[in-house]
Amino acid sequence: MKDQHLTAPPGSPVEADRYIIPSGATGVWAGKSSQIAEYAAGSWAYYVPAVGWTAYVDDEQKIYSWNGSAWVRTGGALQTITAGNGLTGGGQADSVTLTVGAGNGIIVGSTSVAAKPGKGILVNSTGIEVNIDGTSIVYDSANGNQLTVSTIDGGTF
């Protein structure tokens, strides 16, 4: 298939070119929504799709299949991307955006994520450092092997 979004037949079609006709088509394609138009022997031939027909659409470089009521995208990366903790966005498309949530000392820029210094957190040329004293992190084997994080340089973590 050459295209699936042309609402009017091309002015100079090439022999054997095929198109999926979109809704709202005009001219000789009017009223033939979702059908396949093939230019053959100087005129247009039309085919009503059957469930399972599959077409590669050249201008998009994507594969579509007829499900009985619509041409739906098949093939390629169809997995759904879900945003995890601290992220928003996600979805299922060719381009999915995940956004890092800001707050609690996290600074989010258009091309970077940084931590705000303070309460024992130091941000410098070597990265992000945390100053911890001997009582700030406690491994408590008596209470179910818990790791407890408490005060870090005077701030609560």
Side-chain angles (χ1 to χ4, degrees):
M1 301 294 148
K2 301 298 283 181
D3 197 307
Q4 68 167 343
H5 297 102
L6 291 180
T7 55
S12 301
V14 175
E15 184 75 14
D17 277 356
R18 293 180 182 162
Y19 298 84
I20 296 174
I21 302 173
S23 61
T26 61
V28 296
W29 287 2
K32 299 191 182 320
S33 176
S34 300
Q35 294 183 27
I36 295 173
E38 177 183 23
Y39 192 73
S43 65
W44 291 102
Y46 303 98
Y47 305 94
V48 176
V51 172
W53 280 18
T54 300
Y56 177 81
V57 179
D58 294 344
D59 72 323
E60 298 177 35
Q61 297 181 341
K62 294 183 177 107
I63 299 171
Y64 291 84
S65 294
W66 180 252
N67 70 4
S69 60
W71 287 98
V72 293
R73 172 97 184 277
T74 57
L78 291 177
Q79 65 273 18
T80 299
I81 297 172
T82 304
N85 291 340
L87 299 173
T88 58
Q92 183 180 50
D94 291 333
S95 176
V96 175
T97 300
L98 295 176
T99 305
V100 177
N104 296 325
I106 297 174
I107 303 162
V108 181
S110 61
T111 60
S112 65
V113 177
K116 180 176 138 185
K119 295 189 178 182
I121 298 174
L122 175 66
V123 179
N124 58 29
S125 61
T126 61
I128 299 173
E129 299 174 5
V130 178
N131 297 322
I132 301 171
D133 62 27
T135 61
S136 296
I137 296 181
V138 178
Y139 179 72
D140 188 357
S141 59
N143 290 308
N145 297 324
Q146 296 178 350
L147 184 63
T148 304
V149 179
S150 61
T151 306
I152 299 176
D153 282 358
T156 302
F157 184 24

